[in-house]
Amino acid sequence: MHIKIAIKRLVEFVLRQGSIDSRFTSSDRALLGSRIHRKLQKEAGKDYQSEQFLTIDICEVNILYTLHGRADGIIRQQDSVTIDEIKTVSTPIELIDENYNKAHWAQGCFYGYIVCKNENLSHINIQLTYYNIDTDEIKRITKEFTVQQLEDVVYSVLKEYRKWAQMSYEWKEARDSSLKQLQFPFSQYRHGQRQLAVAVYKSIREKDRLFACAPTGIGKTMSTVFPSLKAMGEDLTDKVFYLTAKTVTAVAANDAIGIIYDKMPDIALKTLTVTAKDKVCFLEKRKCDPISCPYAKNYFDKVNDVLYNSLQQNNVFSRELIEKIAKDHSLCPYELSLDISEWCDVIICDYNYLFDPQAKLQRFFENRKGEYTFLIDEAHNLPDRAREMYSCQIDKKSYFEAKKSLDKKEKKLIKSLNGINNMFIDYRHKFDNLEENRFVLQELPSDIEKPLRSFVKEAADYFDKHKNEEPDENLQTLYFETKFFIRILEEYNDKYVTIVSKYGDNVSIKLYCTDPSENIDRCLDTGNSAVAFSATLTPVSYYKQQIGGSGQMISVPSPFPQENLGLYVADRISTRFADREKSIAEICDMIYTVVSRKKGNYMVYFPSYSYMTDGYQKFSEKYSDIKTIIQQKDMSRQQRLDFIAEFDRANTETLVGFCVMGGIYGEGIDLTGDRLIGCIVVGVGLPQINTQLDTLMEYYDKQGKNGFAYAYQYPGMNKVMQAAGRVIRTEKDKGVVLLIDSRFTTDRYIANMPRHWSHLKTVRNSIDLKEKLNSFWNSKTPME
């Protein structure tokens, strides 16, 4: 039996202990640690060899281990050799001694043992270098070990890991064997579905990236999951991450895998769906520390036994199952799901867990490359999501409120907050002679970092002084937000701009990432292959540039006959902002013409809530005989479900739902057959003009690209195509789409419409539309 494992992962898994405590530890600790490692290594001098890769084969009982790792440093002097392990901490340096963390010593001992064996040394020094990230203080603790002492440590850890190694090896053998027998779960592929599946398989085999535009209804989820599992069975990938933008697409992924389980009940495949921390937390208000949460207390002392038994008994880890296991054993359900994920073959989770520096799964993606395949569903959402992930913002009010809440005895912390407040006041004065309440700086301001670092240091001291008390939640949140802001300050480059805004007395400073493609690219590089797919990845070249650049592109034709979709455009109506008031009556007439031709369920999409509300009111007043419902802001989960439930096949009268383009009903919903027979799209979906998007436009103009298209047109048109894609979901569906806007028939929009829209017909007025709709509904389609 042969097991390959990283030394750091091995010792941290076997020797972990204590409680979950995120009060003073930010989620970007590993990212800060990398920077600090490089700093200390650079300062260490000529005898210091940094980032030394070490590996060894060791046999323990019947298991051959290939152990590998990277020592932070090896110090070679005339009469000694020292292994240096650098650890970043928030704990005050004076509280750290040689008993602080036994896993740190074990990691150093493994590296020391390898060096002793390779160089025939009888003893070696292990040095732990602790660096406090808040105060920049350093403590070094050094101990000498004989080779026998090192060997005792190594074999004791391997003995503890033996049952896990046995389980891992046996599972992989069973998994690969069963996946080799895997067959496509349907009797035949849909038109174009096999083309996509083959392209996905090839990208995994060749360790490449694929950008796939595949129309709605082709079965994209199965076309990506199935070939990924086939590739896994052939040892071309070891773990598949199905990354989603919304909960509804996670459901689709689970459904696809469920079909595979149904067709092959004995398949050896472990799957997990990761649910957001706030959603699964058992507390009314999440507080991840052993004082506030009984599920955090002693978590690491208890979890391994529960984890082992759970993996022996289950293959499909749903939210409900994880919550039950966690509740039964008083464990944090979120942390438990992450521990389970290390032993699963398919992980379904949000984009955040790969791309967001504050939420990424560091156990997989930090400072190492894995045999991973990334399936990025609805990939058109990723660029905008990523921009926000790599952007950050602070504001005057938050620091001022934090200062007011403190006891006056906390003089140092209050002084640091005053420094930040004064800095914001200086920025507020910059607006005195400006007409606008916002301005953009192309460079990083030099006066921001010093007061923020002072606050972080004093806040860390404050938290340590009050560590046995209930933490000040607002101050704690502000502390972490400030640390992340400082981290972005350190990475600030020509892909960033600084946006300063004034709201009354309040001032905000935002570091805005205009181009996240390099960040996305680095994240994708932590795996071997990636597939970014969507029905509206158009133009593909634009999204390829936005999502990391390199890789193959494929555009799959629609599997459905054009005759099934009646596609019309009313291009004599303007929906530009200045024309909305005078055109709203005609738009309502056009809506009525569509929905009155055939009884059924329809949706109308507007580019904004205010425009939608106006259209809804005008339509309801004029055509009160038609049943209407409207999407509300901030709908609860139940309200969202109730809204969709209204679109029932059993409806005997016409129903018209008024919705917002790009919103919760603008994509991802699957109303097949008679649940939705038509939609009307009002406007070209352009987002409202704002400083942020104007900044984006200017950035791409400077890159020699079409800035307006990149910032406004392409994202807007994507919303249009997503809305229109709600109508035809299966080969038996028949429905109509009406586009309303004079710009739809201009060259710049026609050029970016999908190929299966080539039969688009213009209509002059309601009478012309009525005639065309009568003809469409009375005609026979190939499936009838």
Side-chain angles (χ1 to χ4, degrees), residues 10 37 40 136 153 208 226 232 270 348 352 435 527 544 546 593 612 638 743:
L10 172 65
H37 278 52
L40 295 180
D136 294 329
V153 171
D208 200 1
F226 171 71
M232 184 181 289
K270 290 191 185 297
I348 301 167
N352 290 347
E435 293 183 5
K544 181 180 177 182
Q546 296 276 287
T593 300
M612 172 191 68
Q638 189 57 51
R743 289 165 285 189

Side-chain angles (χ1 to χ4, degrees), residues 189 193-204 210 223 227:
Y189 288 93
Q193 192 174 28
R194 190 175 189 281
Q195 179 187 355
L196 177 57
V198 169
V200 171
Y201 178 85
K202 285 182 178 179
S203 72
I204 298 172
L210 177 68
S223 299

Side-chain angles (χ1 to χ4, degrees), residues 425-466:
I425 290 174
D426 290 341
Y427 271 93
R428 192 169 64 194
H429 286 319
K430 297 179 187 293
F431 287 95
D432 290 346
N433 298 316
L434 297 178
E435 293 183 5
E436 300 291 328
N437 286 331
R438 193 170 296 179
F439 62 85
V440 178
L441 301 173
Q442 298 298 326
E443 68 284 343
L444 177 65
S446 60
D447 56 349
I448 296 179
E449 185 170 356
K450 186 177 178 180
L452 294 180
R453 285 195 180 278
S454 174
F455 163 70
V456 165
K457 178 183 181 303
E458 298 304 334
D461 290 344
Y462 171 87
F463 289 136
D464 180 60
K465 187 166 61 175
H466 298 274

Side-chain angles (χ1 to χ4, degrees), residues 564-633:
N564 287 16
L565 177 65
L567 183 62
Y568 311 100
V569 57
D571 65 346
R572 298 189 180 190
I573 301 175
S574 172
T575 70
R576 297 175 190 270
F577 189 80
D579 300 324
R580 287 181 180 179
E581 187 175 345
K582 65 182 180 181
S583 65
I584 193 69
E586 191 175 2
I587 289 171
C588 290
D589 291 341
M590 283 290 188
I591 295 171
Y592 180 75
T593 300
V594 173
V595 304
S596 62
R597 289 305 90 203
K598 182 178 175 66
K599 288 183 180 179
N601 301 324
Y602 297 84
M603 281 190 175
V604 183
Y605 293 95
F606 286 83
S608 70
Y609 274 96
S610 59
Y611 199 7
M612 172 191 68
T613 302
D614 192 22
Y616 172 77
Q617 291 173 345
K618 294 286 196 304
F619 183 86
S620 300
E621 290 171 5
K622 189 171 184 179
Y623 300 106
S624 56
D625 57 315
I626 301 291
K627 181 182 178 181
T628 57
I629 54 174
I630 185 170
Q631 176 184 342
Q632 303 290 341
K633 284 186 177 180

Side-chain angles (χ1 to χ4, degrees), residues 766-784:
S766 292
I767 297 173
D768 186 24
L769 176 59
K770 180 179 178 180
E771 292 175 354
K772 286 183 169 62
L773 288 172
N774 287 340
S775 176
F776 171 78
W777 287 120
N778 290 327
S779 66
K780 292 286 186 181
T781 66
M783 299 304 299
E784 291 181 306

Side-chain angles (χ1 to χ4, degrees), residues 40 95 111 134 224 266 313 344 356 389 420 434 468-469 513 526 553 617 644 659 711 734 741 747 749 772:
L40 295 180
L95 298 181
Y111 295 150
D134 299 319
T224 54
D266 296 328
Q313 298 167 13
C344 287
D356 191 332
M389 291 175 192
I420 296 174
L434 297 178
N468 294 321
E469 303 171 16
C513 180
T526 59
M553 296 186 291
Q617 291 173 345
I644 283 294
C659 305
K734 182 177 182 179
D741 194 283
D747 290 343
Y749 281 93
K772 286 183 169 62

Side-chain angles (χ1 to χ4, degrees), residues 17-169:
Q17 60 185 26
S19 304
I20 299 169
D21 194 345
S22 62
R23 286 175 294 177
F24 320 127
T25 305
S26 62
S27 57
D28 62 342
R29 164 65 61 80
L31 298 163
L32 289 167
S34 299
R35 176 182 61 81
I36 291 164
H37 278 52
R38 292 192 294 270
K39 175 180 180 290
L40 295 180
Q41 290 163 345
K42 188 176 180 180
E43 296 171 351
K46 60 181 178 61
D47 294 330
Y48 196 97
Q49 298 172 304
S50 63
E51 298 297 320
Q52 296 296 294
F53 180 77
L54 300 169
T55 185
I56 192 172
D57 288 337
I58 297 179
C59 190
E60 198 275 330
V61 188
N62 63 333
I63 304 173
L64 174 63
Y65 289 94
T66 295
L67 305 173
H68 59 88
R70 200 173 292 276
D72 294 324
I74 300 179
I75 307 167
R76 298 183 184 276
Q77 296 172 320
Q78 189 172 1
D79 58 349
S80 67
V81 178
T82 302
I83 302 294
D84 185 38
E85 268 303 296
I86 301 170
K87 302 298 179 184
T88 54
V89 296
S90 290
T91 305
I93 285 294
E94 62 270 17
L95 298 181
I96 294 177
D97 58 21
E98 65 178 56
N99 299 314
Y100 177 68
N101 190 312
K102 62 182 180 181
H104 294 169
W105 285 113
Q107 188 178 351
C109 286
F110 268 79
Y111 295 150
Y113 183 69
I114 297 172
V115 173
C116 284
K117 284 294 186 180
N118 288 345
E119 301 180 20
N120 198 28
L121 302 178
S122 61
H123 63 277
I124 198 168
N125 296 323
I126 307 298
Q127 175 176 283
L128 299 183
T129 299
Y130 289 101
Y131 184 104
N132 185 291
I133 57 178
D134 299 319
T135 65
D136 294 329
E137 293 175 287
I138 298 172
K139 175 179 274 191
R140 292 184 172 91
I141 305 172
T142 306
K143 292 170 66 175
E144 183 181 79
F145 290 82
T146 67
V147 68
Q148 185 58 53
Q149 289 174 316
L150 298 172
E151 186 168 279
D152 290 344
V153 171
V154 168
Y155 277 88
S156 67
V157 171
L158 293 178
K159 181 181 178 181
E160 287 294 316
Y161 192 70
R162 188 186 303 160
K163 69 176 183 179
W164 298 94
Q166 187 85 27
M167 180 180 70
S168 176
Y169 179 82

